[in-house]
Amino acid sequence: MPTLRLALAQVNPTVGDLAGNAELVRRWTRQAADAGAQLVAFPEMVLTGYPVEDLVFRRSFVAASRAALERLAADLAADGLGDLPVVVGYLDADGPPQVSADAEPGRGARNAAAVLHGGTVAARYFKHHLPNYGVFDEDRYFVPGDTLTVVRIGGVDVALTICEDLWQAGGPFAVARQAGVGLVVNINGSPYELNKDDIRSPLVSRRAVEAGAAIAYVNMIGGQDELVFEGDSMVVAADGTLLARAPQFVEHLLLHDLDLPAAPEHGPGSGDLADGMRVTRTRVSGTGPAPDGAPASGGIIEPVADEAEVWQALVLGLRDYVDKNRFPSVVLGLSGGIDSAVVAAIAVDALGPQRVVGVSLPSQHSSEHSREDAADLAKRTGLDYRIEPIQPMVDTFLANMSLSGVTVENLQARVRGVILMALSNQEGHLVLTTGNKSELAVGYSTLYGDSVGGYNPIKDVWKTLVWRLARWRNADAARRGETPPIPENSIGKPPSAELSPGQLDSDTLPDYAVLDPVLIGYVDGDLGRDGLVEAGHDAAVVDRVLRMVDTAEYKRRQSAPGTKISMKAFGRDRRLPITNRWREDS
Amino acid sequence: MPTLRLALAQVNPTVGDLAGNAELVRRWTRQAADAGAQLVAFPEMVLTGYPVEDLVFRRSFVAASRAALERLAADLAADGLGDLPVVVGYLDADGPPQVSADAEPGRGARNAAAVLHGGTVAARYFKHHLPNYGVFDEDRYFVPGDTLTVVRIGGVDVALTICEDLWQAGGPFAVARQAGVGLVVNINGSPYELNKDDIRSPLVSRRAVEAGAAIAYVNMIGGQDELVFEGDSMVVAADGTLLARAPQFVEHLLLHDLDLPAAPEHGPGSGDLADGMRVTRTRVSGTGPAPDGAPASGGIIEPVADEAEVWQALVLGLRDYVDKNRFPSVVLGLSGGIDSAVVAAIAVDALGPQRVVGVSLPSQHSSEHSREDAADLAKRTGLDYRIEPIQPMVDTFLANMSLSGVTVENLQARVRGVILMALSNQEGHLVLTTGNKSELAVGYSTLYGDSVGGYNPIKDVWKTLVWRLARWRNADAARRGETPPIPENSIGKPPSAELSPGQLDSDTLPDYAVLDPVLIGYVDGDLGRDGLVEAGHDAAVVDRVLRMVDTAEYKRRQSAPGTKISMKAFGRDRRLPITNRWREDS
């Protein structure tokens, strides 16, 4: 029974950076070779980054991906790594791809994996199952593959698969069993979602049993726009036993020695199998010497608490958004409240205090404790603290226009937005927005006021989870003997927008402990009014909340929609139409 | 050979307004019956409006659509219209639909058509070809149908089809030929796109020949968010001859008498046909008496000039956005320039001058002619004209912060944004944004400044087309003996943002006559750098423009993205990733 030393390279590529991503593959392949690896696997579309979305339609981009793959194969050989088979994901196409998203279907682009060996592309595989739900739109972009690629490496038959191939029953894993492979490599761009790791590991085990083969699962890490990839790479035996598991949210080389069945000397050839899939077989000669010394064992990282996991996701998502887009620093308003305090703590964890500017923007309605809590946060985290009073500007607007009521409340928030954007323009910072998902859902925010900013770390975090994160982060700091970053007072006090005298969130909204479960059912769960009432929520609260969410739809779409008259208007992308004619509560 | 009097009801439904849409169907069916129609057809998903996007995932919405259909059938019978077969589009599902966009594929929702007759749902058809490109995401939402529904009406076999079924070869139209039908009804939610009508009519003719049957094509009109539906309903004979064609962008009942082949008394039954599609057959008894009097002929509307077509699309899109979302009025800044002048003219055409507030927002850099041109526009159109000088507020910001350069330019635009939003809050107007597509593409605008607003009528209109539209609208007014709405001076003068002394667009951008063709190739055509140069554009200009477009990506996404940690974060929808690592010019 041959032993293969696997190296799963859980790396952080950047969309569009073909040269940088190729360099990443070369660096980690060198490291794997130095550790005696006999097979290295990188994530899905590591060469282009993932997801590339409409870049797929640009012929020049597809050509650049294909050329970069050939060059990478040659460069690895020139690095002296030609004997080591390397699996990389990239973007391929059958002939020239279509030039437009609106062309007739029948597109040529492929979500592809290649085995690089001996300075050339030794084998290719095209993803079979294309996800087209949630954040995925792969039916728009790719043609599905119909062939299973099996490569004999070190005497073992290894099948290639990509991401969704694992999540759907049938297809490549069923065919892998018929093809009698010993190992299935599954390369991934699988975005983080709360608790997804709890589902992923049992799924990999089930597919291993179905395929009758071990599985090497490698996933990328890093932030790309709104998505965060978590890693969680793993090796699972043919009987479903978890053998090794990498940590989440960090780059990692998972090295593991795996005993695998020897392929028969004269096995079946290429040809048709069940489900209409073909099998192609390739041999890769010479995988370098078997490693000596102690066998490698990747170890098994235990899952962490939900709060720790979410915190790491938010920190990594922000850091990569800032760094991959080359912003030098960030700026945010500090109100003394919990949302801005949590965002500031995330920013300091992501970038260090020198790259975070916190601005107190007091008005006549700002309480003394708010100013003190903001200053306390600044002291605890060491960020660059400024104070910019807004009252002179607010007063000038009020002196020149006849404004009253909510308009004056919104005016204060908008003057704050103008100040933050002026600092951004003047000094180059990215403005961070600090509205939580509960506020966004019910529209409890000011359009072009507190909603101003290029990135919002907590846009997908319900208010009750914001509090849990704050408590967790402080407790974690205390456990490590560090200063808890978030003032206890910011956590404990009743939330207020402080835009009018004595104002509290609870004047306008149900308590968050009541509000959030309704929102979660309505927004995340797509439950209707009756379903929410059946689930035990008070009918009057449900009606009130649903009306708020539906009427806030316009506010959430902060950029201006407009009439589309051509193939490609900018920014048409949301999936829930603006309608005030469909009401769950009517 | 029986003659059927067809009535194609080109109506304007509203997404989510099930009761209002049902009422619309009853009203137009009454009108068709009064005109002696023997078959009435309404557009795709007329009962729910189109597109419903993620509302599909709400079980309560699907149930409401199905219930509304049954109620509509009964109400039509109660109206005394039970004998008249009525084809309506609606949302159906096989059993309970999935409750989430992230559930495993295999969803139950159907894009459906029904024949209502005798107070009941006499037949149903499920859309076969699901478009999943451009603005369409139907693979996410619907399960394709596998059965052709043939209904015998007035002795003629009539097949039902929906929209995309027409655009793809094979499928229902091929099966309709095998089934020997005399007429194919095709109901549509086909969004407007410049010149699409030039493609549509020959396509309908081609499919008629393929099916060996006449086609009754009915499309909706109206605006829904960014989409505009144009109508363009038509009747085509089995040999492909265009017999009748409705006007674009207005509600219309296209009545036409059509001689059709009688179905054989004992024709083939239900069963399997080619392509794995089944055929089900239903008979509808009694379609009311054959109409007496003169035969109905729908007439053929000639296509209009591109500028006229686009203008009507922009007017209808804005009017429906405002009215369907129940805004009382709109407000926009008037700079004296061409963009705001064209938007104001569109708004006045859409809503009347009483519902349009135009605000001159002069600064110290505003030229005298700018103020005069804005006032002239107001006088020509009769809109509600105001003047709000921005200098006092700008000066207060400058007195309280150390700002310079572009920051001061942006500050002026942002103060204008704050004033417009204050007027919106105080008086209830929807703010209109006036940036053209060329500006948006290259980022020549101020985030949270001139980009402020809930709707931008010209967001998809290149600058050179803005000028063409202005000239066309003025000429059209002159032709009708009316006052041209747009000051000639606004059309003729060189464009300027007027944010610094003597500033012109041409200081920063190539001439629009040079810029627009490059942008059209890059954005609309997905051409890469080399493709643009091959097409004859100057390489230096191409490099400069591409860099501007790529770096403007962040600005175009004006609402803050953020890290996603759950199934449904708000607002993740755009398809081109933010990357400054992929450069066409590198």
Side-chain angles (χ1 to χ4, degrees):
Chain A
M1 186 170 262
T3 299
L4 269 192
R5 180 163 292 180
L6 303 179
L8 305 186
Q10 176 175 300
V11 298
N12 185 353
T14 299
V15 166
D17 188 8
L18 294 165
N21 296 336
E23 184 52 42
L24 191 71
V25 171
R26 289 169 71 181
R27 197 164 68 243
W28 286 77
T29 301
R30 159 61 56 207
Q31 197 180 323
D34 290 348
Q38 295 166 289
L39 171 61
V40 195
F42 286 86
E44 182 177 13
M45 292 187 79
V46 68
L47 200 51
T48 53
Y50 183 86
V52 296
E53 305 192 73
D54 280 11
L55 283 175
V56 165
F57 298 123
R58 208 167 288 165
R59 202 185 289 249
S60 55
F61 187 70
V62 178
S65 169
R66 296 172 64 157
L69 184 78
E70 303 284 346
R71 196 160 49 236
L72 176 59
D75 286 345
L76 285 169
D79 291 344
L81 301 168
D83 274 352
L84 179 55
V86 178
V87 180
V88 294
Y90 72 107
L91 172 64
D92 204 337
D94 307 327
Q98 66 172 12
V99 293
S100 153
D102 275 336
E104 295 272 319
R107 304 144 302 178
R110 303 285 197 167
N111 183 329
V115 178
L116 306 182
H117 187 259
T120 65
V121 180
R124 296 174 199 254
Y125 168 80
F126 299 147
K127 191 176 185 176
H128 184 90
H129 287 301
L130 301 175
N132 201 63
Y133 55 88
V135 301
F136 304 108
D137 288 301
E138 295 203 359
D139 276 348
R140 298 175 76 95
Y141 298 126
F142 302 115
V143 183
D146 58 4
T147 302
L148 185 72
T149 301
V150 176
V151 184
R152 187 161 299 180
I153 295 171
V156 177
D157 276 348
V158 179
L160 304 182
T161 62
I162 303 178
C163 201
E164 188 77 3
D165 291 334
L166 179 85
W167 291 81
Q168 304 297 327
F173 280 81
V175 176
R177 168 179 282 277
Q178 298 173 50
V181 306
L183 174 68
V184 181
V185 172
N186 182 246
I187 67 174
N188 289 266
S190 177
Y192 172 69
E193 210 174 274
L194 193 51
N195 302 324
K196 197 181 196 177
D197 56 334
D198 303 338
I199 301 166
R200 184 187 284 124
S201 167
L203 180 71
V204 177
S205 294
R206 201 161 71 235
R207 289 284 178 260
V209 172
E210 282 173 25
I215 296 180
Y217 174 101
V218 59
N219 189 19
M220 62 180 56
I221 70 135
Q224 176 63 41
D225 298 355
E226 296 190 310
L227 301 183
V228 185
F229 300 90
E230 67 180 309
D232 197 24
S233 302
M234 65 187 90
V235 179
V236 167
D239 67 357
T241 307
L242 179 66
L243 301 174
R245 189 171 196 175
Q248 291 168 288
F249 303 108
V250 290
E251 289 194 309
H252 186 81
L253 191 71
L254 188 69
L255 275 169
H256 197 83
D257 285 358
L258 197 56
D259 296 330
L260 292 165
E265 188 55 38
H266 301 286
S270 300
D272 292 334
L273 278 181
D275 296 334
M277 275 187 89
R278 287 183 53 79
V279 174
T280 61
R281 294 177 185 269
T282 312
R283 283 169 197 248
V284 159
S285 55
T287 59
D292 49 13
S297 170
I300 298 179
I301 294 285
E302 290 302 318
V304 299
D306 282 357
E307 290 84 355
E309 192 180 278
V310 171
W311 191 272
Q312 291 175 73
L314 300 180
V315 166
L316 179 58
L318 174 61
R319 181 191 300 135
D320 276 1
Y321 191 86
V322 170
D323 286 344
K324 291 183 179 179
N325 288 300
R326 298 197 176 105
F327 288 101
S329 48
V330 297
V331 64
L332 74 161
L334 297 181
S335 70
I338 184 68
D339 295 328
S340 59
V342 164
V343 170
I346 291 167
V348 169
D349 282 359
L351 306 168
Q354 301 82 2
R355 296 176 69 192
V356 181
V357 178
V359 188
S360 171
L361 298 150
S363 77
Q364 63 186 22
H365 303 304
S366 299
S367 59
E368 197 51 48
H369 66 75
S370 290
R371 301 172 201 225
E372 284 164 9
D373 294 343
D376 186 19
L377 171 80
K379 204 172 125 201
R380 287 165 176 270
T381 56
L383 54 73
D384 179 353
Y385 185 58
R386 322 258 183 100
I387 300 175
E388 298 279 359
I390 66 168
Q391 207 59 46
M393 288 71 114
V394 171
D395 288 342
T396 310
F397 277 100
L398 294 178
N400 285 276
M401 300 180 75
S402 287
L403 305 178
S404 59
V406 171
T407 306
V408 179
E409 296 187 28
N410 285 331
L411 174 65
Q412 297 165 64
R414 291 194 181 112
V415 167
R416 291 186 173 119
V418 173
I419 292 173
L420 292 175
M421 287 306 295
L423 291 172
S424 168
N425 284 174
Q426 196 73 34
E427 303 176 8
H429 321 294
L430 171 70
V431 177
L432 298 186
T433 315
T434 64
N436 61 70
K437 187 173 182 176
S438 311
E439 276 181 13
L440 291 172
V442 297
Y444 194 68
S445 74
T446 298
L447 195 52
Y448 315 118
D450 53 312
S451 68
V452 154
Y455 196 84
N456 179 353
I458 59 169
K459 71 167 267 186
D460 197 22
V461 182
W462 300 110
K463 181 79 172 192
T464 46
L465 181 55
V466 173
W467 275 308
R468 278 170 55 204
L469 290 175
R471 292 201 183 90
W472 171 84
R473 180 65 183 80
N474 274 5
D476 191 58
R479 197 178 50 75
R480 288 183 291 165
E482 296 168 3
T483 306
I486 299 160
E488 281 303 319
N489 201 33
S490 296
I491 303 176
K493 68 185 172 188
S496 165
E498 295 200 334
L499 294 172
S500 63
Q503 184 178 44
L504 292 177
D505 288 16
S506 55
D507 301 341
T508 307
L509 305 177
D511 272 358
Y512 288 105
V514 173
L515 177 64
D516 276 4
V518 177
L519 290 174
I520 289 168
Y522 191 50
V523 175
D524 287 352
D526 280 312
L527 287 177
R529 186 225 185 239
D530 295 346
L532 290 163
V533 173
E534 272 165 37
H537 299 292
D538 179 80
V541 171
V542 167
D543 288 342
R544 184 174 161 211
V545 171
L546 266 48
R547 187 163 290 271
M548 284 191 287
V549 174
D550 290 349
T551 54
E553 192 56 44
Y554 155 71
K555 192 179 278 189
R556 276 196 294 280
R557 275 220 218 182
Q558 301 174 22
S559 62
T563 302
K564 183 178 161 63
I565 62 164
S566 72
M567 289 189 305
K568 294 214 167 177
F570 290 112
R572 187 210 183 253
D573 316 84
R574 55 187 307 292
R575 303 196 180 283
L576 199 65
I578 289 186
T579 169
N580 60 7
R581 302 300 174 92
W582 165 247
R583 290 268 187 253
E584 286 287 347
D585 59 350
S586 61
Chain B
M1 186 169 261
T3 299
L4 269 190
R5 179 164 293 180
L6 303 179
L8 305 186
Q10 176 175 299
V11 297
N12 185 352
T14 299
V15 165
D17 188 8
L18 294 165
N21 296 335
E23 184 52 41
L24 192 70
V25 172
R26 289 168 72 180
R27 195 164 69 242
W28 285 76
T29 301
R30 156 64 56 208
Q31 198 180 321
D34 289 349
Q38 295 166 290
L39 171 61
V40 194
F42 286 86
E44 182 176 13
M45 293 188 79
V46 67
L47 200 50
T48 54
Y50 182 87
V52 296
E53 304 193 76
D54 280 10
L55 284 175
V56 165
F57 298 123
R58 209 166 286 165
R59 200 186 289 251
S60 54
F61 187 70
V62 178
S65 169
R66 297 171 64 157
L69 184 77
E70 303 284 346
R71 196 161 49 236
L72 175 59
D75 286 346
L76 285 169
D79 291 345
L81 302 167
D83 273 354
L84 179 55
V86 178
V87 179
V88 293
Y90 72 107
L91 172 63
D92 204 336
D94 307 324
Q98 67 172 9
V99 293
S100 153
D102 275 337
E104 296 271 320
R107 305 142 302 177
R110 303 285 198 167
N111 184 329
V115 177
L116 306 182
H117 187 261
T120 66
V121 179
R124 297 175 198 254
Y125 168 79
F126 299 147
K127 190 175 187 176
H128 183 89
H129 287 301
L130 302 174
N132 201 63
Y133 55 87
V135 301
F136 303 108
D137 288 300
E138 295 204 358
D139 276 347
R140 299 176 74 95
Y141 298 126
F142 302 115
V143 183
D146 59 2
T147 301
L148 186 72
T149 301
V150 176
V151 184
R152 187 162 299 180
I153 295 173
V156 177
D157 276 349
V158 179
L160 304 182
T161 61
I162 304 178
C163 202
E164 188 76 2
D165 291 334
L166 178 86
W167 291 81
Q168 304 297 327
F173 281 80
V175 176
R177 168 177 283 276
Q178 297 174 51
V181 307
L183 174 68
V184 181
V185 173
N186 182 246
I187 67 173
N188 289 266
S190 177
Y192 172 70
E193 211 174 273
L194 192 52
N195 302 326
K196 197 181 195 177
D197 55 334
D198 303 338
I199 301 166
R200 185 187 284 125
S201 168
L203 180 71
V204 176
S205 294
R206 201 161 72 234
R207 289 283 178 260
V209 172
E210 282 174 24
I215 296 181
Y217 174 101
V218 58
N219 190 19
M220 63 179 56
I221 70 134
Q224 177 63 40
D225 298 355
E226 296 190 309
L227 302 182
V228 185
F229 299 91
E230 66 181 307
D232 196 25
S233 302
M234 65 188 90
V235 179
V236 167
D239 67 356
T241 308
L242 178 65
L243 301 175
R245 189 171 195 174
Q248 291 169 288
F249 304 110
V250 290
E251 289 195 311
H252 187 81
L253 190 71
L254 189 68
L255 274 169
H256 198 82
D257 286 357
L258 198 56
D259 296 330
L260 291 164
E265 187 56 36
H266 301 286
S270 300
D272 294 332
L273 278 181
D275 295 335
M277 276 187 89
R278 287 181 54 78
V279 174
T280 61
R281 293 177 186 268
T282 312
R283 283 171 195 247
V284 159
S285 55
T287 58
D292 49 13
S297 170
I300 298 179
I301 294 286
E302 288 303 315
V304 298
D306 282 357
E307 291 84 355
E309 192 180 278
V310 171
W311 191 272
Q312 291 176 73
L314 301 180
V315 166
L316 179 58
L318 174 61
R319 181 191 299 135
D320 275 3
Y321 191 85
V322 170
D323 287 344
K324 291 182 178 179
N325 288 300
R326 300 197 174 102
F327 287 100
S329 47
V330 298
V331 64
L332 74 161
L334 298 181
S335 69
I338 184 67
D339 295 328
S340 59
V342 164
V343 171
I346 291 168
V348 168
D349 282 359
L351 307 168
Q354 302 81 3
R355 295 176 70 191
V356 181
V357 179
V359 189
S360 170
L361 297 149
S363 77
Q364 63 186 20
H365 302 304
S366 298
S367 59
E368 196 52 46
H369 67 75
S370 291
R371 301 172 200 225
E372 284 164 9
D373 294 342
D376 186 19
L377 172 80
K379 204 172 128 202
R380 288 164 175 271
T381 56
L383 55 74
D384 178 353
Y385 185 58
R386 322 257 183 100
I387 301 175
E388 297 277 0
I390 66 168
Q391 207 58 47
M393 288 72 114
V394 171
D395 288 343
T396 311
F397 277 99
L398 294 177
N400 284 275
M401 300 181 75
S402 288
L403 305 178
S404 59
V406 171
T407 306
V408 179
E409 297 186 28
N410 286 331
L411 174 65
Q412 298 165 64
R414 291 194 181 112
V415 166
R416 292 187 172 117
V418 173
I419 291 173
L420 292 175
M421 286 306 296
L423 291 172
S424 167
N425 285 173
Q426 196 73 33
E427 303 175 9
H429 321 294
L430 171 71
V431 177
L432 298 186
T433 315
T434 64
N436 61 71
K437 188 173 181 175
S438 310
E439 277 182 11
L440 290 172
V442 297
Y444 193 68
S445 73
T446 298
L447 195 51
Y448 315 118
D450 52 314
S451 68
V452 155
Y455 196 84
N456 179 354
I458 60 170
K459 70 166 268 186
D460 197 23
V461 182
W462 300 109
K463 181 81 172 190
T464 45
L465 181 54
V466 173
W467 275 307
R468 278 169 55 205
L469 290 176
R471 292 202 183 90
W472 171 84
R473 180 64 183 81
N474 274 6
D476 191 59
R479 197 179 49 76
R480 288 182 290 165
E482 297 169 1
T483 307
I486 300 160
E488 281 303 320
N489 201 34
S490 295
I491 302 177
K493 69 185 172 187
S496 164
E498 295 201 333
L499 294 171
S500 63
Q503 186 178 42
L504 292 176
D505 288 16
S506 55
D507 301 341
T508 307
L509 305 178
D511 272 358
Y512 288 105
V514 173
L515 177 64
D516 277 3
V518 177
L519 290 175
I520 289 167
Y522 191 49
V523 175
D524 288 352
D526 279 312
L527 287 177
R529 185 222 185 242
D530 294 346
L532 289 162
V533 173
E534 272 165 38
H537 300 291
D538 179 81
V541 171
V542 167
D543 288 342
R544 183 175 163 211
V545 171
L546 267 48
R547 186 162 291 271
M548 285 192 286
V549 174
D550 291 349
T551 53
E553 192 56 44
Y554 154 73
K555 192 179 278 190
R556 277 196 295 279
R557 274 220 217 182
Q558 301 174 23
S559 63
T563 303
K564 181 178 162 62
I565 63 165
S566 72
M567 290 189 305
K568 293 211 167 178
F570 290 112
R572 185 206 184 258
D573 316 85
R574 55 188 303 293
R575 303 196 180 284
L576 198 66
I578 289 186
T579 169
N580 61 8
R581 303 299 175 91
W582 165 248
R583 291 266 187 254
E584 286 287 345
D585 58 351
S586 61

